[in-house]
Amino acid sequence: MFGGGGRSRRRGRAPAATLPSSTASNRTEHSVSCWYCDCKIYAFNDMVFNLGWKHARYIKAWFSVGVYFSLIALVGISLFLLWDPIGALYSSGGSVGTWLQNLLASSFSVSIMDTAIIIGSTILSVAFHEFGHAIAAASEGLQMEYVAIFIAILFPGALVALNYDLVQNLPPFSMLRIYCAGIWHNVMFCAACMLMTSLLPVVLYPLYVSGDGLIVMGVPQTSPLSGYLSVHDVILAVDGLNMRKTDEWMKMLAQDTVEKNSSHAFIEGFQSYGAASSGKGYCVPNSWMDASKNLWQINDKVSCPDELIAFGKFTCNGSTTFSGTGRAEKKEAEDKYCLIAKDVVKLKKCGHGWRGTDEEISCTCLEDEYCLVPILTSGSSWIEISYARPYSFECLQRERNLSSWHATNKNFGLGPCEGTFVYVGDPLSAGRSVKLSPYRPRWQLFLFIADVPYILENCLNCLLHVSAALAAVNCLPVYFLDGDAILETTLFYVGWFPRRQQQMIIKVCRFLWTALSIIMFSRILYSMTVYNG
């Protein structure tokens, strides 16, 4: 996916002859072999050279800043990649491989729309990268020979071909400006995407509302939430925490997973079954608890009927009171209650597992109530999701403006447009399966353009991730990438080592980081294939 180093820099190859402008501007060439094919374009030579040479003073200053940034990035990313195999033995989430995998996977999808966005983002990022090399060379008085779009084995890319002998005759810092230009342009492209994303609420304000829930843009049939949510529903809160941005949705679910996996509040009487308490309790009346005892079967002491959820008593010290390991089965069953989740969520909350609620949650209940928490299997979480359906026909008949209705109805589930459901399972898999956007139309009349903010946000997000990944990869001192040329030129520029030692250092670095890069990307591709499979 990622283009090469943005230069023609093959050792032992004679420099290509410079074509006259009138001929070069009308030519395209093709090269095809068993493992490599490309298309050489000459149409942009004169235009780019004239632009770069005309504003050479400002362009040189611009790319001089990029040199210092690229050198710092090269050292930092190379050291992280070197630490990656060692760090993977001690931690699962702090390595550069994991960071780069998240960077790539965050913009990966299998839908037609998202695939088109990824392809377009890659083309723009590579084009901006190569334009940086070309305009930097033009400011130094060098005209590029051609722009090449190639496919090497199965990997597409692009490069700007320069006369290598002419580049070598430049001062070392001028060479660095050319080699670092692509990385610097990608970094600035990322900054521009971040700025545009931050300005989206202002740009979309006339037609869209933001900061008051997340509108559902898509729920596949395979999603665990497909039975609860529909397209154009609005997720208002998760466990009482109001949702304003899409990253808050995933962050909330990730926190619940971390806390659930790290919880030590295992139920003593049911450790062999992997049961655990989330600390999210409800004040259940004693009459409900008495009625639930009739559901128990003597031979089934652990599971409840499919439509019911098991609950256990919760105490203020953070433990769930169950009988000891040696108690009889019948006595253990008396400490467990099977209740209907949709009825329980309407009750007053208790326990220490709730986050983001406006009211103070106590671990105690009224005299005729008891704090019960759901008993979850290992790896599952209890997520309470509040939602609204402001664009449904029933809701539009009663309320024409969701915001005005929401101002007079604070309690979820009491109005015709709102409700609450509980999801029990893996929250991260459920969260990733739903497409959300923080921008929803102000009026039902504009519902047909509800997808526009989602597409714009996805485009900017994908551009940011692809451009950042392209800059990070080109910082590595790997064969045919920018980092290789930057490292060689920097060693020659500082002059700390004799020429023979410089060549030895360059060869060792190329081989080492190329091998590490192959291992890292093989692991990333394997992980992404297994995950999406």
Side-chain angles (χ1 to χ4, degrees), residues 45-288:
N45 292 14
D46 293 339
M47 179 181 65
V48 174
F49 179 78
N50 293 334
L51 179 63
W53 185 246
K54 182 178 180 181
H55 306 284
R57 179 180 179 182
Y58 304 104
I59 293 175
K60 287 182 179 180
W62 169 253
F63 287 116
S64 294
V65 179
V67 169
Y68 297 108
F69 178 89
S70 300
L71 291 176
I72 296 174
L74 184 147
V75 174
I77 294 178
S78 299
L79 290 178
F80 273 117
L81 182 60
L82 184 62
W83 172 254
D84 185 73
I86 303 174
L89 299 176
Y90 298 97
S91 63
S92 59
S95 64
V96 67
T98 303
W99 171 78
L100 191 56
Q101 179 178 343
N102 294 334
L103 196 63
L104 294 171
S106 59
S107 59
F108 182 84
S109 181
V110 293
S111 68
I112 297 177
M113 175 63 70
D114 290 338
T115 302
I117 291 175
I118 292 174
I119 294 174
S121 300
T122 303
I123 293 174
L124 286 176
S125 298
V126 172
F128 205 62
H129 178 99
E130 302 305 330
F131 175 73
H133 290 300
I135 200 71
S139 67
E140 303 292 343
L142 297 181
Q143 186 175 35
M144 64 180 181
E145 295 179 356
Y146 55 83
V147 177
I149 302 173
F150 65 86
I151 298 179
I153 307 178
L154 296 176
F155 298 96
L159 60 84
V160 171
L162 303 173
N163 189 309
Y164 180 61
D165 288 348
L166 295 179
V167 174
Q168 289 295 101
N169 291 331
L170 293 173
F173 197 80
S174 297
M175 295 169 60
L176 284 175
R177 275 197 290 260
I178 296 175
Y179 294 145
C180 297
I183 298 173
W184 181 238
H185 261 206
N186 281 132
V187 172
M188 291 297 100
F189 201 27
C190 293
C193 291
M194 294 175 64
L195 178 62
M196 294 174 66
T197 301
S198 64
L199 294 177
L200 269 183
V202 179
V203 176
L204 299 175
Y205 180 79
L207 298 179
Y208 299 90
V209 177
S210 62
D212 187 19
L214 306 176
I215 186 171
V216 178
M217 306 308 303
V219 186
Q221 293 295 327
T222 56
S223 171
L225 301 179
S226 60
Y228 304 98
L229 297 173
S230 304
V231 177
H232 298 153
D233 286 354
V234 178
I235 296 177
L236 300 174
V238 175
D239 286 346
L241 179 66
N242 294 331
M243 294 289 102
R244 298 179 177 85
K245 299 180 181 179
T246 52
D247 56 347
E248 291 179 353
W249 162 259
M250 292 305 302
K251 182 179 179 181
M252 185 71 176
L253 299 183
Q255 285 180 351
D256 192 272
T257 302
V258 171
E259 292 185 10
K260 180 67 184 67
N261 291 337
S262 61
S263 175
H264 297 286
F266 290 100
I267 300 173
E268 297 178 359
F270 296 89
Q271 286 182 356
S272 60
Y273 299 93
S277 167
S278 64
K280 300 175 183 177
Y282 301 86
C283 292
V284 179
N286 293 334
S287 58
W288 290 23

